[in-house]
């Protein structure tokens, strides 16, 4: 079932499966999937490559005019480019995850990426996921979902994912990282993680991936039927 001119905002904490679920739902609906976290990860990677600490706001701000960040789509698959080079795989390491959280708290970084995200939503039917899509980036989105799961469930999923990539991690390490990320994202001064008042809560703690995708699709289709 295809729709046109529809914006779906999916927010939620780290490790909730937003990207995987949003990508699958977008594919079934014929929407473009926009992984906003990839944009912040790319800014983080740019800082990391330059030897800039993720907490060094002044140097990060000074770096922004020197870089270009773009999203391109090939056969419906999103690729993120840094200075014209595809860094879609390189931005997925735990170290760059930390950088992404740090740079996302810099107001100038969020402003730098804001228009890119809104332009995509104006020009396409999109499912966009992140931390503040429904509250800040696309407050007028026709559909808003807050996708979450318990910290333990998210840690178990993330740990399995990293191990599949050959990384030696423990559940305790990943859980501690997720809990720290939750605290940082919820307490930051700029665009903190929170559920929009008109967002539908979807908790996937006890759901399989297929069940989670179905739950999100149900929310979207119900909203479209009411529109």
């Amino acid at each position: 079932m295809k729709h046109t001119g529809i914006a779906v905002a999916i927010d939620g904490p780290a490790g909730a499966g937003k990207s995987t679920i949003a990508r699958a739902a977008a594919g079934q609906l014929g929407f473009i999937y926009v992984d906003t976290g990839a944009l912040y990860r790319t800014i983080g990677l740019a800082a990391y490559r330059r030897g800039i600490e993720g907490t060094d706001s002044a140097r990060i701000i000074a770096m922004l005019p020197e870089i270009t960040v773009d999203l391109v789509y090939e056969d419906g698959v999103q690729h993120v480019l840094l200075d014209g080079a595809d860094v879609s795989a390189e931005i997925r390491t735990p170290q760059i995850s930390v950088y992404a959280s740090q740079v996302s708290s810099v107001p100038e970084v969020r402003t730098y990426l804001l228009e890119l995200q809104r332009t995509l939503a104006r020009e396409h039917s999109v499912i966009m996921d992140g931390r503040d899509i429904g509250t800040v980036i696309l407050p007028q989105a026709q559909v808003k979902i807050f996708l979450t799961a318990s910290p333990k469930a998210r840690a178990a999923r993330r740990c399995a994912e990293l191990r599949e990539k050959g990384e030696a991690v423990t559940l305790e390490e990943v859980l501690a990282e997720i809990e720290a990320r939750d605290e940082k994202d919820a307490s930051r001064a700029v665009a903190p993680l929170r559920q929009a008042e008109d967002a539908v809560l979807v908790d996937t703690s006890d759901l399989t991936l297929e069940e989670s995708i179905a739950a999100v699709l149900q929310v979207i289709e119900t909203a479209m039927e009411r529109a």
Side-chain angles (χ1 to χ4, degrees):
M1 181 176 183
K2 281 199 173 186
H3 303 286
T4 57
I6 302 300
V8 179
I10 300 181
D11 292 310
K18 297 186 300 295
S19 298
T20 301
I21 293 168
R23 184 183 296 109
Q28 292 193 39
L29 292 167
F31 287 18
I32 282 180
Y33 164 62
V34 182
D35 174 11
T36 62
L39 300 175
Y40 290 100
R41 286 172 177 270
T42 303
I43 300 291
L45 176 63
Y48 172 74
R49 285 179 170 179
R50 286 165 170 76
I52 300 173
E53 293 293 332
T55 53
D56 191 341
S57 299
R59 292 186 66 193
I60 289 169
I61 294 167
M63 173 192 76
L64 295 177
E66 303 172 357
I67 65 173
T68 59
V69 177
D70 294 293
L71 291 178
V72 296
Y73 294 86
E74 297 177 5
D75 298 323
V77 177
Q78 174 185 281
H79 296 267
V80 61
L81 307 182
L82 174 60
D83 298 329
D86 191 337
V87 294
S88 302
E90 195 172 350
I91 61 174
R92 297 297 172 183
T93 67
Q95 187 170 34
I96 300 304
S97 292
V98 173
Y99 263 82
S101 181
Q102 292 171 332
V103 303
S104 68
S105 67
V106 180
E108 288 80 0
V109 170
R110 308 192 75 82
T111 299
Y112 177 86
L113 295 173
L114 179 62
E115 188 53 34
L116 171 59
Q117 296 169 81
R118 287 182 173 170
T119 296
L120 289 167
R122 282 195 297 267
E123 297 178 351
H124 308 276
S125 287
V126 301
I127 295 183
M128 190 176 296
D129 76 281
R131 303 290 191 279
D132 62 348
I133 308 305
T135 55
V136 177
I137 307 301
L138 301 178
Q140 304 304 318
Q142 293 93 331
V143 185
K144 298 180 184 179
I145 296 170
F146 193 82
L147 186 70
T148 191
S150 69
K152 287 185 178 180
R154 288 184 280 135
R157 294 168 185 171
R158 180 62 174 159
C159 190
E161 178 184 326
L162 291 172
R163 286 173 177 172
E164 284 182 5
K165 295 179 179 179
E167 297 188 28
V169 295
T170 67
L171 180 60
E172 292 74 16
E173 291 171 341
V174 177
L175 178 58
E177 179 182 307
I178 282 179
E179 290 177 336
R181 179 75 179 269
D182 285 352
E183 173 62 24
K184 182 176 180 61
D185 287 345
S187 62
R188 68 189 183 197
V190 179
L193 172 66
R194 64 180 178 83
Q195 181 177 340
E197 292 182 2
D198 52 348
V200 177
L201 178 67
V202 176
D203 190 322
T204 68
S205 298
D206 299 317
L207 301 181
T208 64
L209 175 58
E210 291 73 19
E211 290 170 338
S212 300
I213 295 168
V216 165
L217 284 169
Q218 182 61 51
V219 172
I220 296 171
E221 293 290 2
T222 298
M224 293 304 94
E225 290 170 1
R226 292 174 178 171

